[in-house]
Amino acid sequence: LNVALPSGKRKVLEVAESSKVGDLKFLAQQQFQQGFLRLITAEGHVLSDLEESLHTAGLQDEDHLTAVVQHAKLAATGKAFALWCFGGDKVVTWGSPQGGGDKSPIQQELKGVQQIQGTWHAFATILEGGSVVTWGQPDYGGNSSKVQDQLKNIRQIQATSNAFAAITTDGSVVTWGDPHWGGDSSAVQSRLRKVRDVQATDRAFAAILSDGSVVTWGNPDYGG
């Protein structure tokens, strides 16, 4: 198989017919000395299923693939880390299992990761298409089931220590987590329209709207 980087650097990779996409990807990462690569066929298909056989993926000898280098990013809670790449399907976590270090319950849902944000003990990630997956301590935002039907077309997530705030593509805001730490925006929800950006302190959120005005919620002593 012929694999090339966009820069023009090329490698000819030899793999067994019984190999899987994951085997090819691992070999490519070794040969190009890059920790994260995305393999794309000549037809533009992204080889994302690491367990898929090369035969099922439609790959044959002498086929040409493009290897796109992905730059790793880090997110953190108070007790765990998450390593990921934009658009990737793999997230590596470590640290306290109760603080977000164990993503095993939702591992299969992590497809096309766009952003990961952390509170003190939980992570929230935006996936391709704008859906959201959370894990970690429920009281810290690790359980988003109460607002899951609202978590669509999300473009940005911000966090206090115990709560998350997500901005949708139409400029509305969805919050969850500890209500005393910004997880309850019901008192100002009607004003959260055409939101451009959200920032957070330890226990409060502030949103700037398209007209330049600002809306805050959370603990008053922390800017809410």
Side-chain angles (χ1 to χ4, degrees), residues 97-110:
Q98 293 76 31
D102 178 15
K103 66 179 184 318
S104 56
I106 49 84
Q107 177 63 56
Q108 299 305 313
E109 301 178 53
L110 297 173

Side-chain angles (χ1 to χ4, degrees), residues 15-163:
V15 291
E17 291 184 7
S18 59
S19 297
K20 299 178 180 179
V21 169
D23 301 321
L24 176 62
K25 187 173 183 178
F26 179 72
L27 181 59
Q29 289 174 165
Q30 284 188 316
Q31 292 295 311
F32 288 109
Q33 297 183 332
Q34 296 289 341
F36 296 90
L37 289 176
R38 171 174 281 196
L39 298 179
I40 305 172
T41 67
E43 294 75 28
H45 173 63
V46 178
L47 300 177
S48 57
D49 186 354
L50 300 184
E51 294 301 316
E52 185 179 32
S53 70
L54 299 184
H55 176 74
T56 303
L59 296 179
Q60 301 177 358
D61 288 343
E62 307 303 324
D63 275 358
H64 291 264
L65 301 173
T66 299
V68 178
V69 177
Q70 296 178 288
H71 298 288
K73 298 184 179 184
L74 270 174
T77 65
K79 294 189 175 182
F81 290 102
L83 180 70
W84 59 287
C85 289
F86 182 83
D89 299 334
K90 184 177 181 180
V91 176
V92 179
T93 56
W94 68 97
S96 169
Q98 293 76 31
D102 178 15
K103 66 179 184 318
S104 56
I106 49 84
Q107 177 63 56
Q108 299 305 313
E109 301 178 53
L110 297 173
K111 304 294 183 182
V113 175
Q114 307 293 298
Q115 180 197 355
I116 295 182
Q117 183 66 267
T119 59
W120 189 246
H121 289 298
F123 284 113
T125 179
I126 303 175
L127 305 181
E128 194 170 28
S131 61
V132 172
V133 173
T134 59
W135 70 95
Q137 288 285 348
D139 293 343
Y140 290 77
N143 184 345
S144 56
S145 59
K146 291 183 178 179
V147 295
Q148 199 64 47
D149 62 335
Q150 302 174 53
L151 293 173
K152 301 173 182 177
N153 301 315
I154 302 302
R155 63 176 172 84
Q156 178 192 352
I157 294 179
Q158 188 56 266
T160 63
S161 290
N162 292 30

